[in-house]
């Protein structure tokens, strides 16, 4: 069996290829890719990568005629794309069919169409599931291009299987895909996510779709159309799955009547109230020879950020809260010198590093991080010790400078190339004490002043590279910091921020990527910083010194 596959580096095509390379019956896989550098992780002795585009399919006529199966996954998949950009979706099929007319080996042309090629007539009131007999009334340019492609295949008289995937979800999905957008809305507790919308949509996990395609290749279902779906679920329920803490209101029964006028509304509105994209799923479910994945049990697999995100100081405090909140958002690389509280994250990447040791940072980077496609870095780890210059030893002062200053500098330098490539995010955790000298903890406050000034300067240096650099300056936070720094804490942590609260603000910055570069957390500190900036510096110094002596 020899296979010609398009879209092998894409979301669905990559998963299909990973299944095919394990099939002993497959002798050869020709993979059409745009860039030779895109397939480094897909190399296999039976795989031959062909550099080219869908516009130049005829260039690979000999490989096509040598293939027993053609699987066409590649497409312009944007529903908002204009008519001209979507033409490749059917023109590529025209080229395939023209070449394959000469084939004596072809057993099946497997074409990935879309449920968007079907949609519904304005007088179809969404009472029944979409099925193989449903008429096609696509509304988007993308759907219309897929419908044209299907018609070309019908006329070609080639042996075919057309698969119309519903909403596909899973690891590696596009961040602007339907399911990822719904998760983002639920994560942010948007107003829309607080409504229990009744409209059902059909879904399928990308691995289940790939396994179904592999089964079709092994046992061809020639000349038929199959919907790629394994379950159907309401939009409101999807929001609840992604964020169980969201409190939802029921949609009044009268709003269900929207299904009778959906033809005059945008599809995005119709989906919320009517079973607009609800299709039959039994056929495809039977193709999968194991229990298929359900979105309710696999919600964490859907990531909002194509990570990983590196978090330092992840074992406790703010860092640990960040890890818990970002676990369902992105893949993580968690760094700390103690990792006993990170056992639940071992499915991610947990690296034991003492950030006060430069050689250890470089060694661990080369061995465990260098080949990772890092999107974001959160420099959270920090050390503080109470005492003036005469109170602290050289070793203690060096520890503060190494962890608070040299560690973030070195790690950022090592990861900068990856973050630049991904147009990612750098978040540096400073402190509210960075804005003024702090007698009694002068080395610590100076180290945080360094982070504040360096981080703000870095945000300007990288402003033309679409990389966001945020500086977070929290007030005192109820973590292990106070205990390790030998700082007195009021009973119950009174007056201190909760680490969960600080982590939530940081996560919002990471996901929303707004323009506010520096922010202070804690109203008392904000007021104090404003006042001390208005006062003479000597007066400000006396205020901070007096407050620290009294409170600490």
């Amino acid at each position: 069996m020899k296979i010609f596959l398009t879209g092998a580096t894409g979301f669905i095509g990559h998963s299909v290829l990973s299944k095919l390379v394990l099939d002993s019956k497959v002798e050869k896989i020709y993979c059409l890719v745009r860039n030779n550098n895109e397939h480094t992780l897909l190399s296999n002795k039976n795989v031959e990568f062909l550099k080219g585009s869908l516009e130049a399919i005829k260039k690979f006529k000999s490989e096509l005629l040598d293939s027993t199966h053609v699987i066409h996954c590649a497409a312009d998949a944007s529903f908002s794309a204009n008519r001209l950009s979507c033409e490749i979706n059917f023109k590529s099929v025209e080229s395939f069919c023209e070449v394959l007319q000469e084939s004596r080996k072809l057993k099946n042309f497997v074409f990935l169409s879309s449920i968007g090629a079907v949609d519904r007539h304005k007088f179809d009131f969404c009472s029944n599931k979409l099925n193989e007999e449903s008429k096609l009334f696509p509304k988007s340019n993308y759907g219309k291009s897929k419908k044209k492609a299907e018609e070309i295949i019908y006329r070609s008289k080639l042996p075919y299987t057309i698969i119309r995937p519903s909403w596909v979800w899973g690891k590696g999905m596009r961040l602007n895909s339907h399911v990822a957008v719904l998760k983002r809305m639920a994560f942010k507790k948007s107003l829309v996510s607080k409504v229990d919308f009744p409209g059902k949509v059909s879904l399928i996990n990308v691995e289940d779709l790939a396994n179904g395609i592999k089964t079709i290749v092994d046992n061809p279902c020639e000349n038929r159309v199959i919907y790629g779906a394994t379950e159907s679920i309401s939009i409101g329920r999807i929001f609840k799955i992604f964020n169980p803490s969201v409190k939802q209101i029921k949609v009044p029964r009268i709003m269900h009547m929207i299904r009778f006028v959906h033809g005059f509304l945008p599809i995005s509105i119709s989906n919320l109230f009517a079973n607009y994209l609800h299709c039959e799923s039994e056929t495809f479910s039977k193709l999968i020879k194991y229990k298929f994945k359900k979105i309710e049990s696999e919600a964490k697999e859907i990531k909002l950020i194509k990570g990983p995100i590196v978090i330092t100081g992840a074992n406790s405090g703010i860092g640990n809260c960040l890890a818990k909140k970002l676990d369902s958002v992105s893949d993580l690389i968690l760094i700390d010198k103690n990792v006993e509280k990170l056992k639940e994250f071992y499915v991610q990447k947990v690296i034991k590093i003492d950030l006060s040791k430069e050689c250890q940072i470089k060694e661990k980077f080369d061995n465990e991080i260098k080949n990772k496609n890092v999107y974001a870095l959160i420099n959270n780890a920090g050390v503080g010790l109470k005492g003036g210059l005469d109170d602290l030893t050289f070793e203690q002062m060096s520890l503060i400078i190494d962890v608070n200053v040299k560690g973030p500098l070195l790690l950022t330098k090592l990861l900068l190339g990856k973050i630049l490539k991904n147009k990612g995010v750098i978040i540096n955790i400073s402190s509210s004490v960075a804005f003024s000298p702090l007698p009694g903890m002068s080395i610590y406050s100076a180290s945080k002043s360094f982070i504040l000034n360096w981080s703000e300067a870095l945000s300007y240096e990288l402003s033309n590279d679409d990389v966001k650099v945020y500086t977070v300056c929290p007030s005192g936070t109820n973590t292990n910091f106070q205990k390790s720094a030998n700082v007195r804490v009021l009973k119950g942590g009174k007056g201190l921020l909760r680490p969960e609260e600080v982590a939530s603000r940081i996560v919002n910055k990471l996901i929303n990527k707004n323009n506010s570069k520096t922010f202070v957390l804690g109203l008392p500190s904000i007021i104090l910083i404003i006042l001390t900036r208005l006062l003479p510096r000597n007066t400000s110094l006396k205020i901070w010194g007096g407050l620290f002596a009294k409170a600490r």
Side-chain angles (χ1 to χ4, degrees), residues 360-428:
Q360 197 175 123
I361 296 173
K362 290 179 177 178
E363 179 188 350
K364 294 287 186 176
F365 173 82
D366 289 337
N367 295 336
E368 303 192 50
I369 307 176
K370 192 174 184 177
N371 295 324
K372 300 292 182 181
N373 188 32
V374 173
Y375 171 80
L377 167 63
I378 304 178
N379 283 310
N380 166 73
V383 173
L385 294 172
K386 183 180 177 182
L389 186 66
D390 192 43
D391 301 311
L392 300 177
T393 65
F394 282 111
E395 290 76 14
Q396 289 173 322
M397 290 189 292
S398 295
L399 179 66
I400 295 170
I401 299 303
D402 289 343
V403 174
N404 295 2
V405 176
K406 290 177 66 177
L409 277 177
L410 181 56
L411 205 51
T412 305
K413 176 69 174 177
L414 291 170
L415 292 171
L416 187 57
K418 299 174 183 295
I419 296 171
L420 285 169
K421 179 183 175 182
N422 290 317
K423 301 185 186 306
V425 178
I426 299 169
I427 297 178
N428 295 311

Side-chain angles (χ1 to χ4, degrees), residues 158-170:
L158 295 171
Y160 69 82
T161 302
I162 293 174
I163 303 172
R164 294 173 181 159
S166 52
W167 287 3
V168 187
W169 59 275

Side-chain angles (χ1 to χ4, degrees), residues 119-130 256-264 270 273-278:
D119 283 343
R120 295 197 185 248
H121 189 272
K122 61 183 177 181
F123 296 121
D124 175 349
F125 302 135
C126 309
S127 300
N128 301 311
K129 298 178 184 178
L130 295 172
H256 293 220
M257 304 298 285
I258 284 179
R259 67 190 182 93
F260 294 109
V261 294
H262 74 78
F264 305 96
S270 301
F273 298 95
N275 298 340
Y276 189 86
L277 295 179
H278 185 202

Side-chain angles (χ1 to χ4, degrees), residues 3-7 12-13 16 54 57 69-77 86-97 100 106-118 136 141-156 158-166 209 212-214 216-217 220-228 284:
I3 297 171
F4 192 101
L5 173 66
T6 69
I12 296 174
V16 172
L54 291 176
I57 287 170
H69 297 76
V70 173
I71 305 174
H72 187 18
C73 296
D76 182 335
C86 283
E87 283 188 356
I88 190 62
N89 293 341
F90 62 86
K91 287 189 173 181
S92 60
V93 172
E94 280 183 335
S95 298
F96 269 120
C97 291
L100 293 172
L106 184 68
K107 293 182 179 179
N108 202 354
F109 179 25
V110 181
F111 175 64
L112 249 69
S113 182
S114 168
I115 196 171
V118 189
L136 278 60
N141 289 317
Y142 171 71
K144 290 173 183 176
S145 70
K146 287 294 190 177
K147 180 191 175 201
K148 283 186 180 180
E150 289 188 19
E151 291 168 345
I152 292 166
I153 294 170
Y154 299 148
R155 294 195 299 267
S156 73
L158 295 171
Y160 69 82
T161 302
I162 293 174
I163 303 172
R164 294 173 181 159
S166 52
L209 178 59
I213 293 171
K214 178 180 175 297
I216 288 169
V217 169
C221 304
E222 292 181 10
N223 299 350
R224 69 173 300 181
V225 176
I226 302 174
Y227 282 85
F284 206 88

Side-chain angles (χ1 to χ4, degrees), residues 110-328:
V110 181
F111 175 64
L112 249 69
S113 182
S114 168
I115 196 171
V118 189
D119 283 343
R120 295 197 185 248
H121 189 272
K122 61 183 177 181
F123 296 121
D124 175 349
F125 302 135
C126 309
S127 300
N128 301 311
K129 298 178 184 178
L130 295 172
N131 56 46
E132 193 173 333
E133 304 303 320
S134 299
K135 302 297 182 182
L136 278 60
F137 299 99
K139 293 181 174 63
S140 66
N141 289 317
Y142 171 71
K144 290 173 183 176
S145 70
K146 287 294 190 177
K147 180 191 175 201
K148 283 186 180 180
E150 289 188 19
E151 291 168 345
I152 292 166
I153 294 170
Y154 299 148
R155 294 195 299 267
S156 73
K157 306 299 182 183
L158 295 171
Y160 69 82
T161 302
I162 293 174
I163 303 172
R164 294 173 181 159
S166 52
W167 287 3
V168 187
W169 59 275
K171 191 170 184 178
M173 68 192 300
R174 290 179 294 114
L175 300 183
N176 62 346
S177 62
H178 300 95
V179 178
V181 169
L182 293 182
K183 180 166 185 176
R184 191 174 296 110
M185 293 170 73
F187 188 84
K188 294 192 291 185
K189 294 186 178 180
S190 69
L191 288 175
V192 176
S193 71
K194 295 178 180 180
V195 180
D196 187 12
F197 290 107
K200 282 187 176 181
V201 293
S202 295
L203 306 166
I204 188 168
N205 179 266
V206 66
E207 290 188 26
D208 292 334
L209 178 59
N211 273 310
I213 293 171
K214 178 180 175 297
T215 302
I216 288 169
V217 169
D218 288 339
N219 306 285
C221 304
E222 292 181 10
N223 299 350
R224 69 173 300 181
V225 176
I226 302 174
Y227 282 85
T230 53
E231 64 174 329
S232 296
I233 193 166
S234 72
I235 299 289
R237 180 60 189 156
I238 292 174
F239 284 137
K240 195 68 174 175
I241 287 169
F242 287 146
N243 194 342
S245 67
V246 171
K247 294 181 179 179
Q248 294 181 317
I249 59 172
K250 291 285 184 183
V251 173
R253 291 291 300 177
I254 194 169
M255 297 299 290
H256 293 220
M257 304 298 285
I258 284 179
R259 67 190 182 93
F260 294 109
V261 294
H262 74 78
F264 305 96
L265 298 171
I267 296 175
S268 57
I269 301 297
S270 301
N271 274 336
L272 297 175
F273 298 95
N275 298 340
Y276 189 86
L277 295 179
H278 185 202
C279 66
E280 97 47 51
S281 58
E282 291 77 13
T283 303
F284 206 88
S285 296
K286 290 176 182 177
L287 291 173
I288 303 169
K289 297 180 179 178
Y290 63 89
K291 189 175 181 180
F292 56 82
K293 293 186 177 183
K294 292 188 176 183
I295 198 165
E296 187 155 6
S297 58
E298 302 285 340
K300 277 191 174 183
E301 189 175 323
I302 301 165
K303 305 298 185 182
L304 301 182
I305 294 173
K306 287 190 175 179
I309 299 169
V310 176
I311 305 173
T312 67
N315 192 61
S316 62
I318 296 171
N320 196 254
C321 291
L322 282 168
K324 290 175 179 176
K325 289 181 180 294
L326 291 170
D327 190 28
S328 62

Side-chain angles (χ1 to χ4, degrees), residues 449-493:
S449 293
F450 176 91
I451 291 297
L452 172 65
N453 284 276
W454 164 67
S455 186
E456 289 185 330
L458 185 65
S459 71
Y460 181 85
E461 292 171 4
L462 301 180
S463 58
N464 293 328
D465 297 302
D466 290 328
V467 171
K468 295 289 186 182
V469 181
Y470 298 113
T471 312
V472 185
C473 302
S475 301
T477 307
N478 193 11
T479 66
N480 289 333
F481 175 85
Q482 280 75 22
K483 183 178 178 180
S484 60
N486 195 28
V487 173
R488 183 167 60 89
V489 177
L490 296 177
K491 188 176 181 180

Side-chain angles (χ1 to χ4, degrees), residues 339-356:
V339 296
E340 66 270 10
K341 293 183 181 178
L342 297 176
K343 291 178 182 178
E344 63 182 291
F345 298 104
Y346 280 165
V347 292
Q348 305 276 15
K349 187 76 173 175
V350 176
I351 307 176
K352 188 174 182 178
I353 302 178
D354 186 342
L355 292 173
S356 68

